[in-house]
Structure formats: C-alpha cells, structure tokens
Amino acid sequence: MENSVNLSPFKNLRADVPAAVVVALVAMPLCLGVALASGTPLIAGLIAGVMGGLLVPLFSRSQLAVSGPTPAIVATVLLAMQTLPSFSAFLLAVVIAGGIQMVLGAIRAGVVAYFFPSAVIQGILSAIGIIIILKQFPYAIGFDLGEFGSQDFIGAHGENTFTGVIAALAHLEWGALLVSVLALSILITWDKVAVLRKQTWLSGPLMAVILGTLLNTLFLHAVPGLAVSGHNLVNLPIIRSVADLQGMLQMPDWGMIGSKAVWVTAIALTFITSLESLLSIEAADKLDVFKRRTPLDRELLGQGMANIASGLIGGLPVAAVIVRSTANVAAGARTKASAFLHGLFLLLAVLFLATLLNQIPLAALASILIFVGFKLAHPSIFQRMFRLDKSQYLPFMITIVAILFTSLITGVIIGLLAGVFFVLKANYHSAIEIGREGPAYKIALNREVTFVNKARLSHILERLPKGAEVILDGEHVGFIDHDVLEVIRDFERSAPLREIRLREQGFDAPVLKAPI
C-alpha cells in the first residue's frame, strides 16, 4: 500500500492538519492534568507538550507517535518534588534524563522493545482502550475528577477507576451528557458515511469538538441551566504579555549537578519515559495502515533532545504517549507532520487562543477519547485473541488486568513476565521430545537446548526402563548448553548400571564419550 500512496508530509497536509488540531485539543487538558497531578506549575505541562511536538518529529522517524508529558511520571515527579529542594533542581534532573536517553540511543539500546511479545503489545493497547473509556466517562457526563488523562487505577485523591465512575453517575450533568451524545454521534456517523470519510480538511473528531462547543454556547445563552462551565471546560493559563510568559519560564539549578537525589530522579525519569516511548512506538506502528517501522534508537535520540529542551525552559519530562498517538491515528494522520503541527498549534494556543479554547467542554474531548478507546478494545480483538492458543491469550489477558488494576508501567512489566513465562514453558516442552523408533526410545533435541530444559531432560532419562535402547537424536538441534551436556554425560556413565544401551545420531559433533 505504501508504494501506491505518496507519504510525503507536504502531500498529506489535508489529512495531517485536521488530525493535528484534534490531537492538540486532546493534548491541552492532558498536559495541564499531568502538571496539576504532579504538583508542578501548569505551564510546565504545556511546555513539555510543545517541546514534544516540535522537536521529537525532527529527530524521530516515527510517522504517527505523538509526544508530550505522560501520566506515568506523576508518582515519580511527586516524590521528586518532596525530596528535591526546588523545582529548578527537578528541571536539572529532566535535562540529565534527556542526556542519558541520547546516550542510550547512541549505543542502540532501543532494541529492548523488540523483546516484548506481540500478545503483550496487543494487551497494552486493549488495556489502554478500556482505561480511556473508564477514565473519561466521568468527564463525558460532567463530573470533574481533577485528573483528565490519568492511566492509574488509584487516582491522586485515593479513588480508584471504578469508584470514579460510580461517583460520576451520582453527579450527572445533563448538558455535558448532551454534548457527549452529540460528539459521539458525529464520530460514529463520520466513520460509517462514505461522503464524510472522504472529506479532507475536516474530520469527525474536529467536527465533534466544534459542534460540541457550539451546542454548549447555545445552552449558555438559551438554557443556562444546561451549560457546561468551570472545571468542566478546558482551562489554559492566559498570557497577556511577554512579561507574563517570562515569569512562567524557569531554568535548571546547575548548582545541584552533584546531588545524588537529582541523579536518582534523572535515572527514574529515563527509565519511565524511555519505556513508555518505546512501547508507544511499537503500538503506533501496529496501528499504522501503511505498516511503517520506526527505528527505536532514533526515537530515543528524539526523546532525549526534547527532554533537554523542555528541562532547560521549565517543562516536565517528555515521552511518546499512547493516548495521544492513538488519537492521532484515529483522527486520520498520515505522517509526522501531524505531530509537529500539534506542537505548533499548542504553542499558538497558549500564546494567542487561550480565551477561545477555554470555551471547549471537556465532555467533547472525553467523547473523542472514549471513541478511540472503543476502537483499541474492540470486541473483535478479544475474539481474535481467544482463537489463539493459551500462550497468546493468557499473556494478553494478564497484561490487561495488570494495567487496569495497577498502572501502565507496572502492568507492562507484569505482562512481559507473563509473556516470558509462556515462551519458556513452550520451549520447555518442545525443545526435547521423546518417541519410539522401532523398539528403541528416541529422544530428539530440537532448536536451542538450554539450562531451562535441564529438568525436563533429567526427568525423561530417569523414567527410562531398565534394559532400554535409547537413541539421542540431534538432527534439529542448534545449540546445547553446558548444563544439558552435563546431564547427558552423567546419564551416559550411569546407563550401564541399568543395562541401558545409548547411542547418538544427527549431531555435527559427538556428545557421547567426549570431554565436556
């Protein structure tokens, strides 16, 4: 498909510009929410969003991923704000984290993402989809939890995902619900009507925001009791002069360069932002209809540059974020121009359009995210995974449950461990097989036989009957670990005591009666 479509950024602006507008609108409350939950100045979240949008696309080769502040850093930032003497010291940690990421990119550490099984990646996407639906539902019906865009099961105020939904049902705002219904109706219709899908400069998410805002404006003038207001609207800080902007920007405290606490914070931020970025890239590549692959080492370089720039002027850490990236794909983006323009639009919005954009109901943005979440966790995905064997659907489900009830990073680690367990289990049984070849027992060693298979081989050899003839077959073996050779040689020495006749076949080099 890629060969038949011109994927130059300049040739796809008709798709990328509307997508960038939508992603910028979604990113604004996310940037503010992460900053608010982290206990840092609100402008710090917006700076990170702008730097992630403008700088990462210049160095990264990802076409669809969108970067900015991620909710995954909230706990780390909160702890850092308690242990470090100032926000300026924290900014130094952000700069250092960016430098470490650039080093990781230079030594090609991005390869670590390839060790995540596809079932785990699919589980991450589906879990994010479910979280988006549950977390955004309160905003869709007019209840402000104060953590728009959060991904953790336990919220900043002690509530969990499900208690947040229940609390929202008790505080339903009919005006917000009507805005959400209108926005979702537009999104669903846009996907199903061919004439609308073919529109180039307009998209369903963009129209959902525009018409949702107009409906709320109508409520404000005609039915004030239904109008959405206050915390249920986008809330950008208003900059009226250059002095206002200068007063919001902060610089790192370079005098803290020797602080152990700063370096510990920097390493923690490096781990969290790098892991989420690599996972988000993998997820975005899976959603790409043109099936493009992103060089992960270049991604680390781009993230490092953005983190250095963000920390230098008072911003939070930057990472590629799954929520923004999936919203970008859903809005019809084709190239990295969308991510860059989203950063530009964020900057322009902060500088010039704050008053206008503060009229947008969060319910309209929440509806877009809910629609994105449904696509990520579509029932057909679960049906497809359950058609596979348990080594695929169990890691998939374990990843989903772990992310839902912990946090993104914790859940991913649990899912990865589950994936590795099932891979090892499959290898444990398939690497060594026992059968019959005439009257003889045939033990076939397949692929790579490592210490993981030592216990199974020992068990098979111990159960061989007295007086048996045994063929050790190595026709399909690629590698035999030293521990396995030890088991074979020990059996060879004890076999005569059980009147067992042992011979080998198919090995490139002898494994019997040879030094270890």
Side-chain angles (χ1 to χ4, degrees):
M1 183 182 296
E2 187 172 347
N3 294 332
S4 62
V5 179
N6 189 329
L7 293 175
S8 164
F10 297 104
K11 297 291 186 179
N12 289 276
L13 290 178
R14 287 178 177 271
D16 290 334
V17 170
V21 173
V22 170
V23 177
L25 292 173
V26 169
M28 277 186 288
L30 295 181
C31 293
L32 295 170
V34 172
L36 183 65
S38 302
T40 59
L42 293 181
I43 194 67
L46 293 170
I47 291 171
V50 172
M51 291 297 102
L54 294 180
L55 292 183
V56 175
L58 298 180
F59 298 93
S60 167
R61 291 180 183 171
S62 174
Q63 297 298 321
L64 298 174
V66 181
S67 299
T70 167
I73 65 166
V74 169
T76 302
V77 178
L78 279 172
L79 180 61
M81 295 302 291
Q82 294 171 4
T83 56
L84 297 177
S86 66
F87 182 60
S88 295
F90 170 75
L91 294 178
L92 178 60
V94 176
V95 174
I96 294 172
I100 296 174
Q101 281 184 308
M102 294 187 68
V103 172
L104 292 176
I107 64 175
R108 301 184 181 277
V111 70
V112 69
Y114 292 122
F115 291 95
F116 283 82
S118 59
V120 174
I121 296 294
Q122 188 61 67
I124 294 169
L125 286 172
S126 296
I128 289 294
I130 296 170
I131 287 174
I132 289 173
I133 293 171
L134 294 174
K135 289 289 190 180
Q136 298 307 312
F137 175 77
Y139 296 94
I141 64 173
F143 182 64
D144 177 27
L145 287 174
E147 47 186 35
F148 191 92
S150 171
Q151 297 171 349
D152 292 348
F153 180 67
I154 302 297
H157 308 295
E159 77 289 338
N160 64 49
T161 300
F162 300 111
T163 58
V165 171
I166 294 171
L169 290 171
H171 296 83
L172 187 150
E173 296 286 342
W174 288 103
L177 178 61
L178 290 172
V179 169
S180 296
V181 170
L182 174 64
L184 284 171
S185 299
I186 293 169
L187 294 168
I188 294 169
T189 303
W190 211 277
D191 260 14
K192 294 183 178 298
V193 179
V195 175
L196 296 176
R197 284 201 309 269
K198 292 178 181 178
Q199 296 298 314
T200 51
W201 287 101
L202 291 176
S203 66
L206 180 58
M207 289 305 298
V209 170
I210 292 173
L211 295 181
T213 303
L214 290 176
L215 177 60
N216 191 56
T217 302
L218 177 63
F219 288 156
L220 188 64
H221 292 90
V223 194
L226 290 178
V228 177
S229 60
H231 293 296
N232 292 318
L233 298 174
V234 170
N235 185 23
L236 291 176
I238 297 176
I239 299 173
R240 294 184 173 85
S241 66
V242 175
D244 286 345
L245 180 60
Q246 291 176 337
M248 293 180 180
L249 302 181
Q250 296 192 47
M251 301 286 288
D253 182 359
W254 297 102
M256 296 291 294
I257 193 69
S259 168
K260 178 182 176 181
V262 167
W263 281 89
V264 169
T265 300
I267 293 171
L269 293 175
T270 302
F271 172 77
I272 295 170
T273 56
S274 299
L275 180 56
E276 178 150 8
S277 293
L278 295 177
L279 293 175
S280 298
I281 293 298
E282 283 288 288
D285 285 350
K286 281 186 175 292
L287 296 173
D288 185 3
V289 296
F290 300 106
K291 303 305 176 187
R292 293 163 289 189
R293 298 292 296 172
T294 301
L296 299 180
D297 301 321
R298 285 291 296 268
E299 184 63 28
L300 288 175
L301 173 65
Q303 297 296 333
M305 292 293 293
N307 272 312
I308 290 173
S310 182
L312 285 174
I313 60 173
L316 291 177
V318 171
V321 186
I322 294 177
V323 174
R324 290 179 182 83
S325 302
T326 51
N328 191 39
V329 175
R334 286 191 168 194
T335 75
K336 63 169 65 178
S338 174
F340 178 83
L341 290 172
H342 125 274
L344 181 61
F345 292 157
L346 270 179
L347 177 61
L348 295 175
V350 171
L351 295 178
F352 306 112
L353 301 175
T355 302
L356 176 63
L357 295 174
N358 284 347
Q359 306 304 311
I360 298 174
L362 289 180
L365 300 179
S367 298
I368 295 173
L369 292 175
I370 288 173
F371 191 68
V372 169
F374 180 74
K375 286 187 172 183
L376 290 176
H378 197 280
S380 63
I381 295 172
F382 288 80
Q383 293 173 358
R384 176 167 55 83
M385 293 303 298
F386 278 104
R387 291 193 196 105
L388 304 175
D389 60 68
K390 63 181 181 180
S391 67
Q392 296 296 311
Y393 71 73
L394 283 179
F396 168 74
M397 288 304 301
I398 289 171
T399 302
I400 291 175
V401 172
I403 291 175
L404 285 178
F405 287 95
T406 57
S407 65
L408 178 63
I409 299 298
T410 303
V412 165
I413 293 172
I414 293 172
L416 178 60
L417 292 175
V420 170
F421 170 79
F422 282 101
V423 168
L424 292 178
K425 184 178 180 182
N427 179 264
Y428 177 81
H429 290 285
S430 63
I432 301 175
E433 297 177 343
I434 183 169
R436 299 298 291 263
E437 187 172 290
Y441 290 90
K442 180 179 178 181
I443 301 174
L445 306 183
N446 303 319
R447 302 193 305 274
E448 284 72 34
V449 186
T450 68
F451 71 93
V452 174
N453 311 110
K454 179 178 177 181
R456 175 167 168 77
L457 179 60
S458 298
H459 183 65
I460 290 173
L461 296 176
E462 288 171 2
R463 296 184 64 185
L464 290 170
K466 183 178 180 180
E469 180 182 353
V470 180
I471 302 171
L472 197 62
D473 180 40
E475 182 179 356
H476 301 292
V477 74
F479 168 79
I480 304 178
D481 190 37
H482 175 84
D483 288 353
V484 175
L485 284 175
E486 264 194 343
V487 171
I488 293 173
R489 305 286 166 68
D490 287 344
F491 175 73
E492 180 186 9
R493 287 189 285 269
S494 65
L497 301 177
R498 297 164 57 190
E499 300 177 10
I500 292 177
R501 299 177 301 281
L502 179 64
R503 61 187 173 90
E504 64 182 21
Q505 67 179 28
F507 289 95
D508 293 333
V511 295
L512 300 178
K513 297 181 180 179
I516 297 178

